[in-house]
């Protein structure tokens, strides 16, 4: 897998700061699993947080709190070794497994939404707007109009497409502000499966998200 | 801040479960983590709960800390951030993934990674002094006050696109600074 479309630096900084909405953060985590480039960039962003932390004037911490922590560490379980690297079984990143609860993309209970378009919604929490779920788009599915909207992340889990922003294949993330004007073309034989999170019910930019909007009316 | 000392203390905790070393680490780290939680708008009781969670994670996860991959402060920053998010989600647990938990130990350093070494904190502290004030403001609102991009935009009365572009500029500036100095 050779990832060529990465996270926007602003997305990366917000993720490091821990302020991305949960659904977007989960798509970012899934991309990070697949992308050493963005993992390295995230470390630099975390270091900015570390520098700001070290610069803060200390706030008083009660001695009883320190005593409580010193008491609790006696019985705390030590994390000895890093977990083995996530087995991305069946093409499902770890971050996604935790909400999908399936080991394989093959096991997803797709719901047909339109010719060539299947959808599987993921659970949202109270107060979360926008779309959060998986899309499966057959090669040759129709191309809806383009638009501008709020935050939107689309991670390609399987298959590929290309538009004027380039080739999007497995592991690539569409995280851009620009609208897309040209007709995108699905590549290869297999359907394109994407993980999509949007922040607001609005008009989307990436091809899979626009396909979704056209057919599902989100 | 003596990073060598911090690294030494971390090693003592990781290798020997050294309580005295941890107590010294606690005195350096906990008051700053507490300050960051208060600045992020947590009330004092919640801040204390998150602080306890964070400091216990420092103890239990010390063995996962690798000074070759970054400074103690950036590691503790991520520990405290995750503790805050975990606490907020307690009813519906979904902890953020911890890169250190699953990243392969032998993953080759990229050039970007190499710049994030033990002296990163000091380099970045200096770099933050050189950044344009309007970029610094946004970085602090994001990392210290923990506002979303949309919240920053409305707080400052700026279009979202401007907030994003200032974040990008700030990141590019800090990254360049790190590359030059390392
Ligand atoms: Zn990437």
């Amino acid at each position: 897998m050779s990832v060529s479309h990465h996270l926007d630096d602003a997305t990366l900084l917000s993720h490091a700061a821990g302020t991305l909405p949960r659904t977007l953060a989960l798509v970012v985590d899934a991309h990070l699993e697949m992308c050493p480039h963005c993992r390295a960039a995230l470390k630099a962003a975390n270091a900015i947080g570390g520098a700001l932390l070290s610069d803060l004037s200390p706030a008083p911490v009660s001695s009883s709190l320190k005593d409580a922590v010193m008491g609790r560490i006696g019985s705390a379980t030590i994390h000895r070794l890093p977990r083995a690297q996530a087995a991305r079984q069946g093409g499902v990143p770890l971050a996604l497994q935790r909400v999908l609860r399936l080991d394989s993309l093959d096991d997803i209970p797709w719901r047909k939404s339109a010719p060539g378009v299947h959808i599987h919604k993921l659970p949202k929490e109270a107060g979360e707007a926008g779309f959060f779920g998986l899309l499966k788009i057959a090669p040759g599915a129709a191309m809806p109009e383009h638009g501008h909207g709020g935050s939107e992340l689309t991670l390609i889990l399987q298959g590929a497409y290309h538009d004027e922003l380039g080739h999007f294949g497995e592991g690539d993330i569409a995280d851009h502000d620009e609208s897309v004007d040209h007709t995108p073309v699905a590549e290869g034989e297999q359907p394109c499966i994407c993980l999509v999170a949007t922040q607001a019910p609005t008009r989307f930019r990436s091809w899979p998200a626009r396909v979704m909007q056209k057919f599902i009316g989100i | 801040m003596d990073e060598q000392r911090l690294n030494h203390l971390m090693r003592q905790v990781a290798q020997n479960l050294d309580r005295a070393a941890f107590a010294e680490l606690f005195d350096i780290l906990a008051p700053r983590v507490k300050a960051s939680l208060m600045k992020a708008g947590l009330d004092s009781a919640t801040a204390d709960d998150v602080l306890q969670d964070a400091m216990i994670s420092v103890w239990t996860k010390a063995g996962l800390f690798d000074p070759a991959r970054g400074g103690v402060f950036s590691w503790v920053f991520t520990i405290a951030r995750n503790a805050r998010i975990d606490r907020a989600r307690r009813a519906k647990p979904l902890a953020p993934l911890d890169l250190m938990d699953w990243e392969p130990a032998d993953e080759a350093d990229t050039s970007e990674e190499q710049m994030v070494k033990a002296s990163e904190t000091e380099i970045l502290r200096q770099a933050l002094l050189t950044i344009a004030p309007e970029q610094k403001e946004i970085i602090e609102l994001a990392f210290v006050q923990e506002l979303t991009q949309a919240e920053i935009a409305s707080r400052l009365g700026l279009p979202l696109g401007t907030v994003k572009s200032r974040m990008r500029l700030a990141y590019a500036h800090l990254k360049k600074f790190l590359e030059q100095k390392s």
Side-chain angles (χ1 to χ4, degrees):
Chain A
M1 178 178 18
S2 159
V3 178
S4 54
H5 294 277
H6 299 288
L7 296 164
D8 185 293
D9 287 343
T11 306
L12 196 75
L13 285 181
S14 290
H15 190 62
T19 61
L20 277 188
R22 180 192 69 107
T23 58
L24 297 176
L26 192 143
V27 181
V28 169
D29 272 337
H31 176 73
L32 288 166
E33 283 180 51
M34 301 160 97
C35 183
H37 172 87
C38 286
R39 285 204 291 276
L42 180 68
K43 280 177 191 163
N46 285 338
I48 295 170
L52 289 165
L53 177 64
S54 77
D55 254 350
L56 291 177
S57 327
V61 173
S62 70
S63 58
S64 64
L65 190 149
K66 184 176 177 184
D67 291 345
V69 169
M70 294 305 293
R72 282 174 63 191
I73 61 175
S75 56
T77 307
I78 302 297
H79 295 240
R80 267 291 165 219
L81 290 169
R83 259 186 278 151
Q85 188 183 16
R88 240 185 99 243
Q89 293 167 351
V92 183
L94 249 202
L96 175 57
Q97 274 181 33
R98 300 191 310 172
V99 292
L100 183 62
R101 309 204 174 281
L102 293 172
D103 291 333
S104 170
L105 294 176
D106 296 336
D107 298 335
I108 295 170
W110 295 107
R111 186 167 63 77
K112 191 172 179 185
S113 294
V117 182
H118 288 77
I119 185 170
H120 177 68
K121 287 187 184 178
L122 292 166
K124 287 201 292 185
E125 295 179 358
E128 287 180 342
F131 176 81
F132 183 42
L134 291 149
L135 289 175
K136 183 168 77 167
I137 304 164
M143 148 69 198
E145 294 168 10
H146 71 277
H148 283 285
S151 293
E152 163 203 318
L153 293 175
T154 298
L155 174 67
I156 316 305
L157 298 173
Q158 180 190 296
Y161 70 91
H162 68 258
D163 60 20
E164 84 269 25
L165 294 172
H167 164 91
F168 287 81
E170 192 182 319
D172 282 326
I173 192 157
D175 179 13
H176 35 66
D177 289 333
E178 311 92 298
S179 61
V180 179
D181 290 321
H182 297 167
T183 305
V185 180
E187 297 171 352
E189 309 271 298
Q190 64 178 346
C192 184
I193 296 182
C194 316
L195 173 62
V196 180
T198 70
Q199 210 182 348
T202 178
R203 300 207 297 154
F204 301 137
R205 291 178 294 277
S206 80
W207 170 57
R210 283 179 284 132
V211 168
M212 172 186 73
Q213 185 167 41
K214 175 169 182 181
F215 288 112
I216 299 141
I218 292 166
Chain B
M1 207 63 53
D2 183 345
E3 288 192 50
Q4 296 223 318
R5 180 77 189 152
L6 284 170
N7 284 332
H8 169 74
L9 293 169
M10 286 295 299
R11 205 160 45 242
Q12 286 299 110
V13 171
Q15 292 173 0
N16 306 321
L17 299 181
D18 182 336
R19 293 173 63 91
F22 180 74
E24 189 177 336
L25 268 180
F26 186 101
D27 291 341
I28 298 168
L29 300 175
R32 292 180 169 81
V33 171
K34 173 81 183 270
S36 79
L37 295 168
M38 300 297 287
K39 282 196 184 276
L42 271 59
D43 63 65
S44 186
T46 309
D48 278 353
D49 287 343
V50 175
L51 176 59
Q52 284 203 42
D53 293 348
M55 293 312 297
I56 286 165
S57 287
V58 168
W59 172 263
T60 60
K61 294 190 168 182
L64 306 180
F65 171 71
D66 178 358
R69 294 178 174 200
V72 173
F73 270 105
S74 76
W75 184 71
V76 171
F77 165 76
T78 63
I79 294 264
R81 176 199 65 202
N82 291 357
R84 172 180 63 79
I85 295 172
D86 273 346
R87 214 12 110 155
R89 288 201 199 299
R90 186 137 288 192
K92 313 157 213 141
L94 182 74
L97 282 186
D98 188 338
L99 285 178
M100 288 271 189
D101 278 358
W102 57 266
E103 194 169 84
D106 58 356
E107 185 167 83
D109 276 6
T110 66
S111 60
E112 245 171 321
E113 203 162 347
Q114 278 164 356
M115 78 192 188
V116 183
K117 293 297 186 192
S119 60
E120 66 180 16
T121 305
E122 194 47 45
I123 292 170
L124 279 168
R125 284 163 65 126
Q126 295 301 317
L128 283 163
L129 298 174
T130 69
I131 203 168
E134 72 273 13
Q135 291 168 27
K136 175 99 186 282
E137 178 180 42
I138 281 177
I139 289 293
E140 283 182 339
L141 288 171
F143 277 89
V144 182
Q145 304 217 24
E146 294 172 358
L147 300 183
T148 66
Q149 293 172 6
E151 287 165 347
I152 294 171
S154 86
R155 168 82 63 99
L156 299 179
L158 292 170
L160 184 60
T162 306
V163 170
K164 287 188 185 200
S165 68
R166 286 186 189 171
M167 288 176 94
R168 290 181 198 119
L169 288 169
Y171 181 72
H173 176 88
L174 295 171
K175 206 163 76 169
K176 202 163 73 188
F177 212 95
L178 276 169
E179 283 161 354
Q180 284 168 355
K181 293 277 175 172
S182 60

